[in-house]
Amino acid sequence: MSDYDVMIIGAGSAGYSAAIYATRFGMKALLLGKEQGGQANEAFSVENYPGFNGISGMELMKKFRNQAEELGADMEAMGQVEKIGKQGKEFIVTAGEKKYKGKAVIIATGSRKRKLGITGEKELAGKGVAYCATCDAMFFRDKTLAVIGGGDSAVKSAILLTEYAKKVYIVYRKGRENMRAMPSWLKRMEENKKIERIFHSSPKKINGKEKVESITFEKKGKPFDLKVDGVFIEIGSVPESGLARELGVGLTEKGRIKVKDDMSTNVEGLFAAGDVTSGSNEFEQIITAASEGAIAAESAYKYITGSQWGS
Ligand code: NDP
């Protein structure tokens, strides 16, 4: 007999939302999460989630979590899932010493930060090389920093870092016109006197012995060094789809889980939601992850009950 109707893997916006909807559908739900809150935790200010005109990502995720818990979802706080298996129609999820059985699974494992893969990055990680401005900004008071990237994450990080650092360079490999960040954030970055923008420059090497001292970039084929005390690498993310791949779930070229409109996958009873999927036009937002979580929960409910509720 199954322990759960639905087992949700991943405790970010998509997973919490799936847990909220699953319990509201009367399903017995388990939520297993490695990092409570997921990537939204790193947003120092969320200004586009309806109903909250400026809230920290961590605070918003706490509200998601509390709501899921109050509605009765079982939470395994640090449940690092190692395997999702299937025996007949039943799923078996292995997390450490424990095994859980369930009728349906929703994978909401999100994504992890992409690495540059250049010399010095690994060696100086934690010694000036950083990936989360919200977590580490306070360690760089009155320092000179570089942020690498041209999307929302890079621009928002650069703005946050100016609250502590004395100077922040944002270094982008293409031109201003190619920057992917939302215009409202670009405007705030451009108005910020502590931020200097450097375009058409690709990072080649991070230099330093005990800590970061400089970064070597290449601009139009010529190398140049930028003296900094730290560097924040904000160059996007890679979907955490390894568990799905092992189970034979279909992935896109970019490694995202292929989902249909109802968030189902090619494996019967297995659904997915959030940044790990090909859904929502790959627009990675808290609201899109949450809505995919809701749809996945409804689809799981229809699957396990054979009902057509809501259609
Ligand atoms: P993006 O994929 O949007 O941007 C990544 C940036 O890194 C691009 O500018 C890319 O350059 C650059 N880049 C990638 N690889 C390298 C490399 N090897 N060397 C140098 N530069 C590189 O990632 P984000 O993390 O910024 O955003 C991901 C998603 O999350 C987006 O959908 C974004 O909107 C969303 N998000 C939303 C926020 C919000 O407040 N609403 C906050 C943060 C993220 P190029 O442009 O040349 O490809």
Side-chain angles (χ1 to χ4, degrees), residues 15 59 61 65 72 162 170-171 214 221 249 254 270 277 286 291 297:
E59 196 56 39
M61 286 304 100
R65 183 196 157 92
T162 58
I170 181 160
V171 190
S214 68
V249 178
K254 290 186 204 160
L270 191 115
T277 79
I286 297 171
S291 87

Side-chain angles (χ1 to χ4, degrees), residues 48 114 116 148-154 156 172-174 178 180 182 185 203 234-236 282-285:
N48 50 12
R114 180 178 286 126
L116 276 168
I148 296 172
D152 277 319
S153 301
K156 286 183 81 170
Y172 180 42
R173 62 184 176 183
K174 294 181 188 154
N178 303 106
R180 300 180 192 206
M182 284 188 193
W185 286 107
E234 292 287 4
I235 59 166
E282 298 188 7
F283 191 32
E284 295 171 11
Q285 302 289 307

Side-chain angles (χ1 to χ4, degrees), residues 130-241:
Y131 299 87
C132 171
T134 308
C135 324
D136 296 335
M138 67 284 268
F139 302 122
F140 294 92
R141 202 173 286 280
D142 297 324
K143 302 286 186 197
T144 299
L145 300 173
V147 176
I148 296 172
D152 277 319
S153 301
V155 170
K156 286 183 81 170
S157 294
I159 293 167
L160 172 65
L161 290 169
T162 58
E163 288 181 21
Y164 299 88
K166 67 173 180 227
K167 175 157 186 96
V168 178
Y169 296 100
I170 181 160
V171 190
Y172 180 42
R173 62 184 176 183
K174 294 181 188 154
R176 157 73 171 85
E177 65 288 359
N178 303 106
M179 288 191 89
R180 300 180 192 206
M182 284 188 193
S184 53
W185 286 107
L186 284 174
K187 188 165 176 282
R188 271 159 75 172
M189 173 187 72
E190 281 157 7
E191 285 166 359
N192 191 313
K193 299 268 185 296
K194 281 189 178 178
I195 300 178
E196 183 174 333
R197 293 166 286 148
I198 301 178
F199 294 116
H200 302 292
S201 302
S202 295
K204 296 292 166 197
K205 201 155 70 89
I206 301 172
N207 312 301
K209 285 202 178 90
E210 297 302 313
K211 55 183 188 59
V212 170
E213 288 163 23
S214 68
I215 310 169
T216 306
F217 289 93
E218 194 174 279
K219 186 170 191 167
K220 292 180 183 156
K222 286 192 184 141
F224 72 94
D225 276 7
L226 195 63
K227 249 182 124 244
V228 290
D229 304 299
V231 52
F232 283 76
I233 297 165
E234 292 287 4
I235 59 166
S237 44
V238 185
E240 285 274 20
S241 52

Side-chain angles (χ1 to χ4, degrees), residues 92-107:
I92 298 161
V93 167
T94 310
E97 307 279 281
K98 294 187 181 166
K99 282 193 196 301
Y100 305 91
K101 287 185 203 157
K103 295 173 191 160
V105 164
I106 298 173
I107 297 185

Side-chain angles (χ1 to χ4, degrees), residues 251-292:
L251 304 180
T252 67
E253 262 178 30
K254 290 186 204 160
R256 290 171 180 261
I257 296 176
K258 280 188 200 164
V259 286
K260 302 192 191 92
D261 287 351
D262 63 355
M263 308 318 291
S264 64
T265 67
N266 61 319
V267 174
E268 196 188 336
L270 191 115
F271 304 84
D275 290 359
V276 75
T277 79
S278 59
S280 299
N281 211 17
E282 298 188 7
F283 191 32
E284 295 171 11
Q285 302 289 307
I286 297 171
I287 193 166
T288 53
S291 87
E292 288 188 19

Side-chain angles (χ1 to χ4, degrees), residues 2-11 14-15 18-19 22 27-33 81-95 99-109 240-249 257-259 262-274 276-277 292-305:
S2 294
D3 304 322
Y4 290 96
D5 293 318
V6 61
M7 300 184 290
I8 300 154
I9 323 289
M27 290 190 279
K28 188 158 188 258
L30 169 71
L31 189 139
L32 287 157
V81 172
E82 276 116 34
K83 192 169 181 250
I84 307 171
K86 204 174 179 204
Q87 270 176 10
K89 284 200 142 196
E90 193 167 60
F91 290 92
I92 298 161
V93 167
T94 310
K99 282 193 196 301
Y100 305 91
K101 287 185 203 157
K103 295 173 191 160
V105 164
I106 298 173
I107 297 185
T109 39
E240 285 274 20
S241 52
L243 290 168
R245 179 184 281 116
E246 284 168 21
L247 193 63
V249 178
I257 296 176
K258 280 188 200 164
V259 286
D262 63 355
M263 308 318 291
S264 64
T265 67
N266 61 319
V267 174
E268 196 188 336
L270 191 115
F271 304 84
V276 75
T277 79
E292 288 188 19
I295 296 166
E298 195 220 11
S299 300
Y301 175 73
K302 284 180 178 171
Y303 169 74
I304 66 167
T305 58

